[in-house]
Amino acid sequence: MTNTAVAGKDTRSVTAAAPSQTRRRRRRSIAPYLFSAPAMVLYTVFTVIPVVYALGSSFYAQRRTGGGALGTRSTVFVWFDNYVSVFHDSQLIAGLRHLALYGLIAVPLTLGLALLFALLLDAPGVKLRSFGRTAIFIPYAVPGVVAALMWGFMYLAGTSPFSYVTRSLGWGDIPFLGPNGIYGSLANISVWGGTGFNMLVIYTALRSIPHELIEAARLDGANEIQIALRVKVPLVGPALLLTAIFALLGTLQLYGEPLMLKPLTNTISNTWVPLMSIYQDAFALDDLHDAAAASIVLAVGTALVSVAVLAVVRVSTRRGMR
């Protein structure tokens, strides 16, 4: 009799616990969606909807129809005509050429200096490590517009301390803002501002390398330079890939620096880089549909470049592992 009562009590307990477990499981399954909902809403509102709107707008154009002196402007569906005109836009093609020359200077210098500074800060026996890390990172905290204005005064012949020194030596002004010097001048602003961030990413990856590997290399007789080149650099490959993609994306989005330097020189036109050309089409020439098509082409090109970099790195990594 006693056993029957206990068995009945256990059955009631199990029956009562079952709904409770079901509720906990439901809460656990819903929790990820609740936590990610704000981010998904923001991503949808500020990324997905603008992209879809731009894509739809790129298939339309303004046409003047009807009689009269001015006619009537109407929006018509033109299929891929805007994309055809984008690929035949000489100003946009020239902007891509400027962007390529700028990227050839800025990207290798930014990544090379970031890797060098990270390796130096990670070397044993380095003093004032925290100060050095902060000092290199500080330029990244300066807004790009402020950095461009500051370097603009450094480049302008009348206010440049560098040109003052060369003039004193009888060598004349340094053509920072001339046709040949403008690429290096713009790349310098990017390198100055971006090295610190990329250095921190690589330095964090360096600090995660197991200490036993470094000690084993030292016991095998490797010096610090050999350890840096043959142990540390290969192991921070993913961090280097990440910084390379950041640098490429930053290059393709170049806009603020040439816009700030434009009033100081005639070398930079209103359509000097693709984003300036798109802005000119959209808000100066009131051709939003053509600007939308150019924006889509630039976004797809950016994605393709990122995918190409990832593919090249993966193939190189697999070959290195064989």
Side-chain angles (χ1 to χ4, degrees), residues 76-282:
V76 296
F77 189 76
V78 295
W79 291 99
F80 294 96
D81 287 358
N82 289 332
Y83 290 94
V84 173
S85 65
V86 165
F87 287 107
H88 289 84
D89 188 345
S90 60
Q91 291 181 336
L92 192 66
I93 294 172
L96 290 173
R97 189 167 58 250
H98 296 154
L99 208 58
L101 292 173
Y102 161 83
L104 286 175
I105 301 172
V107 174
L109 275 178
T110 302
L111 298 183
L113 287 175
L115 178 61
L116 176 63
F117 288 140
L119 290 172
L120 289 175
L121 289 174
D122 190 59
V126 174
K127 297 180 180 178
L128 301 175
R129 182 172 294 163
S130 298
F131 172 78
R133 193 168 59 237
T134 305
I136 297 170
F137 181 75
I138 280 178
Y140 179 73
V142 178
V145 174
V146 176
L149 288 174
M150 183 188 72
W151 279 104
F153 287 113
M154 296 282 193
Y155 295 151
L156 205 58
T159 56
S160 171
F162 310 111
S163 291
Y164 174 80
V165 173
T166 54
R167 275 199 309 270
S168 302
L169 295 172
W171 298 343
D173 296 329
I174 303 175
F176 288 111
L177 302 176
N180 295 325
I182 193 65
Y183 298 102
S185 300
L186 286 169
N188 173 61
I189 300 174
S190 175
V191 172
W192 181 80
T195 299
F197 173 77
N198 292 298
M199 181 270 298
L200 274 187
V201 174
I202 299 172
Y203 179 73
T204 304
L206 285 172
R207 302 302 292 175
S208 66
I209 296 176
H211 191 66
E212 292 79 8
L213 285 177
I214 308 297
E215 287 301 320
R218 289 199 182 101
L219 290 175
D220 287 340
N223 57 36
E224 293 303 323
I225 295 177
Q226 290 172 327
I227 291 174
L229 296 179
R230 298 182 181 181
V231 178
K232 294 181 178 179
V233 172
L235 288 176
V236 298
L240 290 173
L241 171 62
L242 181 67
T243 53
I245 292 177
F246 283 159
L248 283 173
L249 294 180
T251 298
L252 292 171
Q253 295 172 4
L254 180 67
Y255 178 75
E257 289 83 354
L259 190 68
M260 289 298 105
L261 295 185
K262 192 172 76 66
L264 307 180
T265 176
N266 294 325
T267 304
I268 300 176
S269 64
N270 290 327
T271 58
W272 200 74
V273 288
L275 283 183
M276 294 175 69
S277 179
I278 292 171
Y279 180 87
Q280 189 73 8
D281 287 342

Side-chain angles (χ1 to χ4, degrees), residues 297-310:
V297 170
L298 187 63
V300 172
T302 304
L304 291 177
V305 168
S306 303
V307 171
V309 171
L310 284 171

